[in-house]
Amino acid sequence: MRDDERISGVKELLFAYVKSPSLRHIRDPYSLVRLAQEIVKSIDRGNSIWRKWDGQREVLLKSALGCWIPVDALRDFINEMPGPQVTATDVSQRLRAFEDEEYFSYPKEELRPGCLALYERERDEGTELPAIIGVLRDHVEREEERLRVEQEERHKKWREKDRMAREQRLLSGADCKWTQLQKSPHWYCRANGRTYRLSPTKDKMWNLYRVSSVSEEDERALIGKYRGRGDATKVVSQMAYQPEPKW
């Protein structure tokens, strides 16, 4: 590949990248990694085993990753571009190769119905394929953000449900793992029927107490100071089954 061809290939990739309407996408570290990979591959394309794919075809195909564009539609559009004719197998396997090479580029199955419906609507209105891809990329980005927020909300609800279950075990007198009572800064656990409390210190450490209740005023005996719950848990797992001194 001549120098002018290398420069042209890199320019095409850079122009395609900065055309993204999403500043988040442009600044995304993973997107920059993918761009760097594409630039390197563009320069080394002379040794590629994929002989039907020049810079413009690959730019188009990569922009369609994760958008659920029908393979036949991609094939038909690519065959109108300069270069050898491609089959549906050429397109699907090249897409698969890109997906295997890229980070987080596998299409999400839950987005498929919405993407196909949006594709069909835009196609029926006469929108050309590159513009449809742009619309779908925006749609996928919004939907992925929605899914991320929903997942975080589900995880938050699960954590609160788990916390409440542990709180009930603690208040009922059953053994339980470290648990906070509502918004208390203290953590309680019970092992072998013995209750322990972790209280934060000003130097960002934790005081471990052996207590008889979940009252914050109960400081029956200070066992020691620790960096975190992990260290305190190791101590509790041993002390809870040893003869207890008279406090």
Side-chain angles (χ1 to χ4, degrees), residues 94-111:
R94 193 69 186 104
L95 276 172
R96 179 63 180 272
F98 284 144
E99 290 168 353
D100 289 343
E101 293 169 1
E102 304 295 334
Y103 295 104
F104 309 111
S105 58
Y106 289 99
K108 291 180 171 59
E109 184 64 36
E110 58 264 47
L111 300 184

Side-chain angles (χ1 to χ4, degrees), residues 1 5-15 17 31-46 58-59 62 102:
M1 184 181 294
E5 292 177 335
R6 290 190 178 94
I7 294 171
S8 177
V10 172
K11 284 171 57 179
E12 289 176 358
L13 291 171
L14 291 173
F15 285 150
Y17 186 79
S31 297
L32 289 172
V33 169
R34 289 197 295 269
L35 175 62
Q37 290 174 333
E38 291 170 9
I39 289 173
V40 171
K41 291 172 186 175
S42 173
I43 294 174
D44 295 338
R45 187 164 289 120
E58 289 200 342
V59 167
K62 284 186 176 183
E102 304 295 334

Side-chain angles (χ1 to χ4, degrees), residues 16 20 44 74 122 125 148 161-162 194 203 207 213 233 240:
S20 172
D44 295 338
L74 290 168
E122 292 292 340
E125 291 179 357
R148 184 190 64 80
K161 184 178 179 180
D162 181 64
R194 301 175 185 177
D203 55 356
N207 282 336
S213 70
T233 299

Side-chain angles (χ1 to χ4, degrees), residues 127-149:
T127 307
E128 66 175 353
L129 189 62
I132 295 177
I133 292 174
V135 170
L136 283 173
R137 283 168 63 92
D138 292 342
H139 171 75
V140 167
E141 184 174 336
R142 289 192 301 270
E143 288 298 289
E144 286 180 341
E145 177 64 15
R146 177 183 63 82
L147 291 173
R148 184 190 64 80
V149 171

Side-chain angles (χ1 to χ4, degrees), residues 46-58:
N47 297 322
S48 174
I49 62 173
W50 301 92
R51 301 306 174 93
K52 294 183 178 181
W53 301 92
D54 61 15
Q56 287 289 349
R57 289 182 169 194
E58 289 200 342

Side-chain angles (χ1 to χ4, degrees), residues 83-97:
Q85 295 288 289
V86 297
T87 66
T89 301
D90 285 327
V91 176
S92 63
Q93 291 305 307
R94 193 69 186 104
L95 276 172
R96 179 63 180 272

